[in-house]
């Protein structure tokens, strides 16, 4: 009972089908991206569903590239899609391409024509759209609707031979121009595309199937049992079923090894939308092409590679999908929840280090000697997670904001006149004064330390009201730190009127130089850290030992209200 309650509605359907022996208990899903852009976090919701169902019910999930529009698709995208899915930790069974079925689909189209179920229309796309009618008014039949079968065959073959110009003719299913479901009003099955070669089949094909005449058929050829997709396809489902009816069940003509009783079933769940970003490949492509972001993997992008570069982990992304769940109701998810899940993950795993963003020099006037090495725990109180070495010496970088020349008694950090402050993981100091330049800007802070106050010794237990971060000057490394924020300034850029590009957040990236601990010299791309008091950061892919670059994954503060 407990178990059952937590099933999502798709899992409930699958369990019912299994109980009833539908499709002989076989479970096969597919993830069907169109290779016309990079995967985004919306796709990951579908990936977690498709692969998750297969994993949970001992089935298989295949990867199928829905490559039926050569004008937009490319091999570059195929490769990144495979890489991203693997990075997320999912394993597909087979890799298929809709283009593998171009011959079968063409043969099916010929069969439809011969059965009087399809015709070649010579009208323009605009004319066809105008004749569609409205949900309450029937459409108008094309003047070509009753063309003789022989003529349809001859013209369709001429289309495929490249004898007809792109846009001049289409093949339409002859179904019902008055059907209340607009998708039944003689949908287009095939169009001519001769202006772009296909990334796999080159110029072999001059006609390409439309989504509705390719997707269900591909599912059927492969033996998919549960064809899971997003809600906008719900209105396509009757057409999906109609096409499959024409060659399965009593009309079975051997196109599937699973026999006449086998049927794929389409099921729909709600899309993922997240605040302060866009979830459309078309818009993302525009941002990339126009240089409004640094690329598909810009850490502000909601793409899988962007999230990775931002410092998101597969675990956090998959946790996020578990939390939001699957329903039949469209909605908008707070970006704060996504940040919350990565924070929860990194909190447990990311080593803590000091990074000083707005440095001012601190001189410890009574510190004699060349310096020393301090052993600090990666995560306080978790010795098992390792330690690191911090160089300590007479001159340190501290945050400018941690010193005030004149402070009231509510300021617990450094100020001349007595207050004791602990330097993180090391000694207690007291400020004694400061030096300024001609403009009045503080250039050096002076302090004395208590040699008997070192953390980890008996004197280290002495409490102070404040602890401040520091990095020793001689060993400090300069690092470029990229402070990322939301890509858009408004909650739902897709709902606003006008150009979505005008809604970009002008402060989505600030670059600063920070002084960081020498222990970071060996940090590698994709290493995660918490910069104490600053946030979570990841080493950028372009980072080198002599030019460290860190990206801010998220701040420390959690604004997400549960
Ligand atoms: P876009 O609108 O960004 O171009 P798409 O739906 O055209 O996306 P496809 O490559 O066709 O992209 O999508 C592959 C699969 O991912 C489909 O099953 C689709 O339903 C699913 N998918 C796409 N966007 C989302 C989303 N925001 N939330 C959940 N699933 C999604
Ligand atoms: Mg699509």
């Amino acid at each position: 009972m407990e178990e059952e309650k937590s099933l999502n509605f798709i899992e409930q359907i699958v369990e019912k089908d299994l109980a009833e022996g539908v499709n002989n208990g076989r479970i096969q899903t597919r993830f069907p991206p169109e290779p016309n852009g990079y995967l985004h976090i919306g796709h990951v919701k579908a990936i977690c569903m498709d692969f998750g169902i297969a994993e949970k019910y001992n089935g298989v999930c295949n990867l199928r590239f829905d490559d039926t529009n050569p004008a937009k698709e490319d091999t570059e995208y195929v490769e990144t899609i495979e890489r991203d899915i693997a990075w997320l930790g999912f394993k597909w069974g087979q890799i298929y391409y809709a283009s593998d079925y171009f011959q079968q689909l063409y043969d099916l189209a010929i069969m439809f024509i011969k059965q009087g179920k399809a015709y070649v229309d010579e009208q323009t796309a605009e004319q066809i759209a105008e004749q569609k009618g409205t949900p309450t008014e029937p459409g108008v039949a094309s003047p070509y609707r009753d063309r003789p079968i022989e003529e349809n065959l001859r013209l369709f073959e001429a289309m495929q031979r490249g004898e007809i110009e792109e846009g001049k003719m289409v093949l339409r299913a002859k179904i019902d121009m008055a059907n209340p479901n607009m998708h039944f009003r003689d949908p287009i099955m095939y169009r001519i595309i001769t202006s772009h070669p296909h990334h796999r089949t080159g110029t072999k094909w001059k006609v390409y199937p439309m989504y509705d005449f390719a997707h269900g058929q591909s599912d059927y050829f492969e033996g998919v049992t549960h064809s899971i997709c997003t809600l906008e396809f719900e209105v396509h489902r009757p057409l999906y079923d109609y096409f499959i009816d024409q060659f399965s069940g009593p009309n079975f003509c051997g196109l599937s090894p699973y026999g006449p009783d086998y049927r794929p079933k389409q099921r729909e769940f709600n899309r993922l939308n997240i605040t302060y970003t866009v979830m459309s490949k078309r818009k993302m492509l525009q941002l990339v092409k126009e240089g409004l972001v640094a690329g598909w993997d810009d850490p502000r992008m909601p793409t899988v590679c962007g999230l990775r570069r931002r410092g998101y982990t597969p675990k956090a992304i998959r946790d996020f999908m578990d939390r939001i769940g699957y329903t039949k109701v469209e909605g908008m998810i707070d970006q704060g929840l996504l940040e919350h899940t990565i924070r929860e993950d990194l909190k447990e795993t990311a080593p803590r280090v000091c990074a000083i963003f707005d440095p001012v020099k601190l001189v410890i006037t009574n510190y004699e000697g060349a310096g020393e090495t301090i052993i600090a725990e990666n995560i306080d109180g978790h010795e098992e997670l390792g330690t690191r070495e911090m160089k300590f010496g007479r001159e340190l970088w501290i945050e400018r904001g941690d010193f005030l020349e004149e402070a009231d008694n509510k300021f617990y950090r450094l100020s001349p006149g007595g207050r004791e402050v602990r330097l993180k993981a090391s000694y207690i100091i007291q400020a004694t004064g400061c030096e300024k330049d001609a403009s009045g800007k503080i250039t050096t802070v002076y302090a004395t330390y208590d040699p008997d106050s070192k953390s980890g010794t008996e004197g280290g237990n002495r409490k102070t009201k404040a602890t401040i971060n520091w990095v020793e000057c001689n060993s400090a490394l300069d690092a470029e730190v990229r402070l990322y924020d939301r890509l858009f300034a408004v909650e739902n850029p897709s709902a606003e009127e006008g150009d979505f590009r005008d809604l970009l957040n002008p402060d989505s990236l600030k670059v600063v130089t920070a002084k960081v601990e020498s222990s970071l010299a060996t940090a590698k791309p994709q290493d995660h850290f918490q910069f104490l008091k600053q946030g979570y950061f990841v080493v950028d892919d372009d980072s080198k030992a002599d030019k460290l670059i860190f990206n801010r994954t998220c701040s420390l503060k959690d604004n997400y209200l549960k």
Side-chain angles (χ1 to χ4, degrees):
M1 267 326 268
E2 277 289 293
E3 175 92 341
E4 229 158 282
K5 253 197 276 171
S6 64
L7 294 181
N8 65 47
F9 77 97
I10 303 268
E11 291 168 333
Q12 287 173 18
I13 291 171
V14 169
E15 295 206 354
K16 185 163 173 285
D17 288 345
L18 282 173
E20 292 172 0
V22 174
N23 291 322
N24 297 319
R26 232 170 24 86
I27 299 295
Q28 185 172 324
T29 59
R30 85 286 169 263
F31 174 64
E34 182 177 357
N36 63 351
Y38 283 54
L39 293 182
H40 54 62
I41 189 161
H43 293 116
V44 182
K45 181 170 178 180
I47 290 172
C48 289
M49 169 57 85
D50 296 328
F51 285 88
I53 288 284
E55 235 165 64
K56 184 163 179 177
Y57 297 103
N58 296 316
V60 63
C61 178
N62 297 313
L63 179 56
R64 183 203 312 140
F65 291 100
D66 216 344
D67 55 348
T68 54
N69 182 2
K72 291 190 175 155
E73 296 154 6
D74 207 325
T75 313
E76 171 201 355
Y77 299 127
V78 169
E79 284 158 14
T80 65
I81 289 169
E82 289 179 27
R83 196 192 56 208
D84 286 347
I85 296 173
W87 179 73
L88 287 165
F90 291 106
K91 290 197 174 53
W92 52 81
Q94 303 290 322
I95 295 184
Y96 295 119
Y97 294 83
S99 54
D100 291 339
Y101 313 127
F102 282 166
Q103 185 64 52
Q104 279 139 287
L105 291 168
Y106 182 82
D107 294 344
L108 256 188
I110 298 279
M111 183 183 99
F112 272 60
I113 296 172
K114 286 184 175 165
Q115 294 175 352
K117 292 173 185 164
Y119 62 97
V120 171
D121 197 338
E122 290 176 48
Q123 299 181 100
T124 63
E126 292 72 41
Q127 284 170 317
I128 292 174
E130 273 166 29
Q131 292 167 354
K132 272 259 150 130
T134 68
T136 50
E137 275 173 88
V140 176
S142 162
Y144 302 98
R145 196 169 198 265
D146 293 318
R147 231 191 240 291
I149 289 175
E150 284 313 313
E151 204 176 305
N152 285 319
L153 268 180
R154 187 173 56 75
L155 287 174
F156 187 55
E157 283 163 2
M159 284 164 66
Q160 165 52 18
R161 280 196 302 269
E163 292 164 11
I164 317 287
E165 218 181 296
E166 193 168 313
K168 291 287 184 217
M169 289 184 193
V170 292
L171 183 71
R172 292 177 74 178
K174 190 172 176 178
I175 312 181
D176 177 6
M177 287 305 289
N179 199 294
N181 182 330
M182 304 284 285
H183 294 282
F184 275 93
R185 296 189 184 177
D186 292 8
I188 298 175
M189 293 162 63
Y190 264 90
R191 66 220 195 274
I192 302 168
I193 300 177
T194 46
S195 50
H196 294 78
H198 188 276
H199 70 110
R200 293 182 76 239
T201 57
T203 54
K204 178 173 180 201
W205 296 94
K206 320 289 186 225
V207 291
Y208 290 91
M210 300 297 288
Y211 174 87
D212 286 314
F213 197 69
H215 202 94
Q217 281 82 333
S218 305
D219 285 344
Y220 184 83
F221 299 150
E222 289 166 12
V224 168
T225 57
H226 296 79
S227 180
I228 309 167
C229 59
T230 34
L231 276 176
E232 71 273 22
F233 293 102
E234 199 168 19
V235 287
H236 292 249
R237 196 208 291 186
L239 184 58
Y240 177 102
D241 287 332
Y242 167 85
F243 279 137
I244 292 173
D245 283 343
Q246 309 312 306
F247 47 83
S248 69
N251 298 322
F252 186 65
C253 48
L255 292 175
S256 158
Y258 298 106
D261 293 338
Y262 154 68
R263 274 204 82 101
K265 290 237 173 75
Q266 180 183 302
R267 300 289 176 224
E268 312 84 11
F269 65 83
N270 59 336
R271 280 179 87 82
L272 173 61
N273 297 300
I274 298 182
T275 55
Y276 299 102
T277 190
V278 290
M279 210 63 82
S280 135
K281 279 187 280 195
R282 185 179 56 79
K283 287 180 180 161
M284 291 179 204
L285 181 63
Q286 211 173 340
L287 296 175
V288 171
K289 285 220 163 130
E290 293 173 16
L292 296 167
V293 293
W296 284 100
D297 66 347
D298 186 299
R300 290 165 292 186
M301 291 280 273
T303 50
V304 174
C305 53
L307 287 163
R308 173 186 165 279
R309 197 161 181 179
R310 179 75 172 257
Y312 275 80
T313 59
K315 177 174 185 294
I317 296 172
R318 290 171 68 163
D319 277 357
F320 171 76
M321 298 304 163
D322 280 346
R323 281 171 197 255
I324 60 172
Y326 297 86
T327 71
K328 281 265 186 194
V329 189
E330 295 289 10
M332 182 67 91
I333 303 291
D334 183 349
Q335 189 161 113
L337 177 58
L338 187 60
E339 288 171 9
H340 175 77
T341 54
I342 186 63
R343 215 176 265 119
E344 290 287 294
D345 185 11
L346 296 178
K347 192 167 81 184
E348 308 295 329
T349 56
R352 276 53 166 167
V353 291
C354 288
I356 306 297
F357 280 54
D358 183 11
V360 66
K361 189 174 279 186
L362 173 85
V363 178
I364 303 172
T365 51
N366 63 336
Y367 188 87
E368 307 295 339
E372 62 192 279
T373 297
I374 283 170
I375 305 296
E377 284 177 347
N378 283 335
I379 298 183
D380 281 350
H382 287 275
E383 211 180 338
E384 77 283 3
L385 297 176
T387 58
R388 68 186 191 280
E389 294 187 350
M390 292 179 81
K391 296 276 176 263
F392 185 86
R394 181 181 157 88
E395 297 192 352
L396 311 177
W397 296 114
I398 60 167
E399 288 291 350
R400 186 168 289 281
D402 283 341
F403 175 80
L404 272 186
E405 197 178 7
E406 283 167 48
D408 61 21
N409 57 7
K410 288 201 196 80
F411 185 77
Y412 297 130
R413 286 162 290 161
L414 290 172
S415 184
R419 176 111 44 209
E420 286 195 325
V421 172
R422 178 168 297 281
L423 291 171
K424 180 73 190 170
S426 58
Y427 297 97
I428 289 175
I429 59 171
Q430 283 173 290
T432 53
C434 65
E435 202 170 282
K436 293 183 229 174
D437 65 13
S439 70
K441 189 176 177 189
I442 294 171
T443 53
T444 314
V445 173
Y446 294 100
T448 56
Y449 87 122
D450 174 357
D452 295 325
S453 64
K454 191 172 177 178
S455 299
T457 68
E458 208 169 306
N461 295 329
R462 202 159 93 222
K463 290 271 175 288
T464 57
K465 283 261 193 189
T467 298
I468 66 168
N469 297 320
W470 55 275
V471 174
E472 194 267 331
C473 291
N474 287 322
S475 58
L477 303 171
D478 282 329
E480 178 177 320
V481 181
R482 300 174 179 170
L483 302 171
Y484 290 106
D485 204 342
R486 297 166 167 156
L487 184 53
F488 285 89
V490 298
E491 225 177 73
N492 186 0
S494 305
E496 305 279 331
E497 297 203 353
D499 192 328
F500 79 104
R501 292 166 300 183
D502 297 338
L503 306 169
L504 285 165
N505 173 11
D507 300 318
S508 61
L509 171 59
K510 263 188 236 138
V511 181
V512 299
T513 302
K515 299 284 184 191
V516 302
E517 290 182 21
S518 56
S519 66
L520 290 174
T522 54
K524 298 274 174 307
Q526 285 293 304
D527 284 351
H528 302 270
F529 296 96
Q530 184 193 98
F531 288 177
L532 288 160
K533 296 190 186 173
Q534 299 287 359
Y536 291 100
F537 292 80
V538 68
V539 181
D540 187 71
D541 293 347
D542 291 339
S543 185
K544 302 264 158 29
D546 58 351
K547 191 187 189 307
L548 292 172
I549 306 171
F550 291 90
N551 298 328
R552 180 167 67 194
T553 307
C554 61
S555 60
L556 290 180
K557 203 161 122 217
D558 197 338
N559 294 319
Y560 183 70
L561 305 172
K562 267 176 266 185

